[in-house]
């Protein structure tokens, strides 16, 4: 089986599949097709499937012309019909792994994807989970589901885990050149699955000894960032009390050429990984009677930041204008979870908005990339431009995302006061009306 798979990889007769055509799955499907493999994308959302099949791109990290050409040449197609799994030799599962209402892992998308694949699993097939999840998912959840087909893992099909490392908006590292980690059940599986990624990507492929090592790798990467961001967020609160500019402290510390890596405070954590992954690890750790105290402390600090920032804004307008937050006019500049993208998943700006509304503020949301977002109160429309008159009418402008397309000179020149939670206005000389986190 191994030799036949390696032959198909070499002569590009292998058919690749991707389940989930979102921020991870579509770029991966495009790269597989560009590498010469016929690729089928699977998704339950008909709108995404229809868009792909007419070459209409909806993901920022995908080049429009690449998608259109691959579809036109018949190298990439999409479907909602999972029976086509029977035609693929390699399938990557790239579905969401959110948290439920109780902050516990929701692996229902992963489970349903595995069940759909199991119906059409065949000999000589490779299945790889890319969705971020707790260590043990591949072997404890996916493997038993797939083996219900009557096929045996390691003998009839190969199974592995390779964590996605997508960073939306990153101008340097994309799917193509980001190093990959592959862990699989058995040496033959690891060799074959790694060979597929090596044929598709330019980045190095690190071969981990097991799926659990690969699963823990992704958790470590994002928990590392969660903890360090929690540290600087806590220091931001302390430095405010002490009258010290933490941003300058970080700049000073960054001059050390070893032993220090800069992390920056902000209104909270957003995105599909950093705010979620530590919860997966903490949840799994309880199975072993282990309490992840440092991780949970950082999570508590970061979760508190949206409310803290609203409290700071309230203090600013009260101190400067003797005015309450209730009834105050607030402009939120930036709704996306990071700069220069339109992705609002887990964005702390949305939680800032919800806290402001709860306190009775009148909030106008402004973001050049985002048109609307879902809040507890329903869908909120977002302004994609803002005028000097509207800025002057606001009691405070809160910068919650550091977009580069925003005219911060305009904001600083017309705002009564600005609370800059991202220090994006650091280059503006006249700072009489600017306060930073």
């Amino acid at each position: 089986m191994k030799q036949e798979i390696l032959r198909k990889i070499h002569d590009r007769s292998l058919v690749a599949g991707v389940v989930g055509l979102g921020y991870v799955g579509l770029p991966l499907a495009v790269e597989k097709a560009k590498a010469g493999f016929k690729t089928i994308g699977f998704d339950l959302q008909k709108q995404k499937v229809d868009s792909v099949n007419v070459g209409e791109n909806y993901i920022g990290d995908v080049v429009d012309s690449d998608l259109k050409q691959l579809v036109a040449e018949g190298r990439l197609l999409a479907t909602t019909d999972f029976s086509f799994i029977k035609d693929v030799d390699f399938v990557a599962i790239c579905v969401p792994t959110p948290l439920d209402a109780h902050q516990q892992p929701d692996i229902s998308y992963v489970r349903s994807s595995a069940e759909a694949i199991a119906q059409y699993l065949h000999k000589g097939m490779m299945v790889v989970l890319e969705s971020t999840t707790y260590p043990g998912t591949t072997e404890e959840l996916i493997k038993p589901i797939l083996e219900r087909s009557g096929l045996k893992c390691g003998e009839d099909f190969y199974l592995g885990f390779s964590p996605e490392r997508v960073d939306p908006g990153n101008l340097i590292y994309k799917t193509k050149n980001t190093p990959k980690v592959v862990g699989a059940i058995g040496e033959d599986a690891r060799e074959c699955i790694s060979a597929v990624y090596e044929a598709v990507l330019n980045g190095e492929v690190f071969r981990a000894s097991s799926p659990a090592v690969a699963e823990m790798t992704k958790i470590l990467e994002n928990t590392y960032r969660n903890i360090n961001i929690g540290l600087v967020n806590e220091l931001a609160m302390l430095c405010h009390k002490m009258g010290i500019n933490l941003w300058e402290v970080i700049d000073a510390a960054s001059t050390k050429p070893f032993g220090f890596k800069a992390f920056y405070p902000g209104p909270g954590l957003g995105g599909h990984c950093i705010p979620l992954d530590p919860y997966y690890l903490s949840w799994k750790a309880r199975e072993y009677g282990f309490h992840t105290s440092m991780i949970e402390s950082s999570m508590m600090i970061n979760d508190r930041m949206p409310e803290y920032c609203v409290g700071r804004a309230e203090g600013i307008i009260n101190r400067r204008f003797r005015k309450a937050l209730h009834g105050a006019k607030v402009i939120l500049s930036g709704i996306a979870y990071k700069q220069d993208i339109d992705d609002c998943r887990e964005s702390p700006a949305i939680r800032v908005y919800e806290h402001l509304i709860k306190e009775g503020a009148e909030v106008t949301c402004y973001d050049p990339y985002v048109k609307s977002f879902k809040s507890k109160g329903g869908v909120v429309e977002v302004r994609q431009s803002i005028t000097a008159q509207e800025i002057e009418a606001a009691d405070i402008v809160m910068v919650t995302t550091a977009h580069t397309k925003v005219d911060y000179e305009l904001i600083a020149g017309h705002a009564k006061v600005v609370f800059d939670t991202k220090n994006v206005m650091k280059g503006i000389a006249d700072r009489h009306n600017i306060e930073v986190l």
Side-chain angles (χ1 to χ4, degrees):
M1 184 168 71
K2 182 181 79 170
Q3 294 306 320
E4 176 63 11
I5 288 173
L6 293 176
R7 180 193 65 77
K8 286 184 175 182
I9 296 170
H10 182 264
D11 66 18
R12 296 302 193 264
S13 62
L14 178 140
V15 179
V18 176
V19 176
L21 295 174
Y23 285 87
V24 176
L26 184 58
L28 180 61
V30 166
E31 292 301 335
K32 287 178 178 178
K34 286 171 66 177
F37 298 106
K38 180 180 178 181
T39 304
I40 304 174
F42 299 87
D43 203 291
L44 294 177
Q45 295 185 38
K46 189 175 184 298
Q47 182 179 355
K48 287 183 178 179
V49 167
D50 290 344
S51 294
V52 170
N53 286 335
V54 294
E56 290 182 357
N57 179 37
Y58 49 86
I59 299 294
D61 287 349
V62 171
V63 178
D64 294 5
S65 58
D66 285 350
L67 178 62
K68 192 173 291 292
Q69 180 179 349
L70 292 169
V71 171
E73 294 175 353
R75 287 191 280 166
L76 175 62
L77 61 92
T79 181
T80 58
D81 185 353
F82 276 72
S83 69
F84 285 99
I85 291 287
K86 69 181 185 302
D87 297 327
V88 306
D89 304 295
F90 176 102
V91 62
I93 301 173
C94 306
V95 295
T97 48
L99 299 173
D100 64 17
H102 305 289
Q103 300 292 76
Q104 295 192 26
D106 177 3
I107 54 172
S108 60
Y109 298 102
V110 171
R111 180 184 289 106
S112 60
S113 297
E115 291 170 345
I117 292 169
Q119 295 181 56
Y120 306 101
L121 191 69
H122 56 80
K123 287 188 177 183
M125 189 170 169
M126 292 172 283
V127 180
V128 181
L129 177 62
E130 288 214 6
S131 305
T132 304
T133 184
Y134 58 84
T137 303
T138 304
E139 293 168 277
E140 298 169 11
L141 177 70
I142 305 297
K143 180 174 175 283
I145 291 175
L146 296 181
E147 287 189 331
R148 291 177 196 164
S149 64
L151 300 177
K152 187 171 178 58
C153 181
E155 294 181 10
D156 301 313
F157 69 92
Y158 292 148
L159 176 62
F161 180 84
S162 182
E164 58 87 1
R165 285 171 161 173
V166 171
D167 185 18
N170 193 313
L171 299 179
I172 299 174
Y173 288 104
K174 307 288 185 181
T175 299
K176 181 73 173 179
N177 65 339
T178 300
K180 261 289 195 182
V181 173
V182 171
I185 300 175
E187 178 57 38
D188 288 351
R190 182 162 55 249
E191 181 179 349
C192 289
I193 292 170
S194 297
V196 173
Y197 286 111
E198 287 165 348
V200 171
L201 308 177
N202 289 338
E204 173 195 1
V205 175
F206 180 91
R207 300 185 181 190
S209 61
S210 69
V213 169
E215 289 161 342
M216 183 63 89
T217 298
K218 179 61 186 294
I219 296 290
L220 170 61
E221 292 168 5
N222 289 321
T223 301
Y224 163 81
R225 294 176 68 187
N226 192 304
I227 288 174
N228 281 281
I229 294 170
L231 170 64
V232 294
N233 276 335
E234 188 167 55
L235 287 178
M237 291 184 272
L238 174 60
C239 284
H240 174 64
K241 289 181 176 292
M242 298 176 72
I244 298 172
N245 185 324
L246 176 62
W247 302 92
E248 185 180 353
V249 172
I250 295 171
D251 287 344
S254 296
T255 63
K256 185 177 181 181
F258 53 89
F260 180 81
K261 177 177 173 58
F263 288 84
Y264 299 95
L269 292 177
H272 60 294
C273 287
I274 301 176
L276 308 182
D277 294 1
Y279 284 97
Y280 276 75
L281 185 58
S282 294
W283 176 83
K284 186 64 176 179
R286 291 197 290 273
E287 182 180 317
Y288 296 86
F290 190 88
H291 185 63
T292 53
S293 54
M294 180 183 293
I295 296 171
E296 290 174 30
S297 293
S298 70
M299 289 154 58
M300 289 170 60
I301 294 166
N302 293 328
D303 284 347
R304 176 187 172 193
M305 290 309 293
E307 186 174 8
Y308 171 78
C309 287
V310 171
R312 283 281 302 275
E314 182 177 28
I316 289 169
I317 61 174
N318 183 270
R319 171 169 32 88
R320 286 183 177 244
F321 313 123
R322 296 179 181 272
K323 191 168 185 176
L325 185 58
H326 187 90
K329 294 181 178 179
V330 180
I331 293 176
L332 274 190
S333 177
I335 299 300
Y337 83 83
K338 63 179 288 190
Q339 69 179 48
D340 299 343
I341 65 172
D342 63 357
D343 193 346
C344 297
R345 285 176 296 174
E346 308 295 329
S347 175
I350 295 176
R351 291 185 56 199
V352 169
Y353 168 84
E354 290 171 345
H355 282 297
L356 287 168
I357 293 297
K358 183 179 178 181
E359 294 300 321
E362 298 177 19
V363 186
T364 299
C365 296
Y366 162 55
D367 191 306
Y369 295 90
V370 178
K371 296 180 179 180
S372 65
F373 64 89
K374 292 181 180 179
S375 175
K376 292 178 181 178
V379 176
V380 179
E381 299 298 319
V382 179
R383 298 284 304 279
Q384 293 190 284
S385 62
I386 203 85
T387 67
Q389 291 76 19
E390 289 169 324
I391 296 169
E392 290 171 356
D395 295 297
I396 188 170
V397 176
M398 292 183 67
V399 178
T400 42
T401 310
H403 289 313
T404 57
K405 282 177 65 174
V406 173
D407 188 344
Y408 295 107
E409 294 280 357
L410 177 73
I411 292 175
H414 292 274
K416 295 184 178 72
V417 65
V418 179
F419 179 34
D420 184 359
T421 71
K422 303 296 290 186
N423 199 32
V424 74
M425 293 186 171
K426 62 182 178 181
I428 295 178
D430 183 359
R431 306 190 62 80
H432 76 280
N433 63 338
I434 300 174
E435 297 194 26
V436 296
L437 177 61

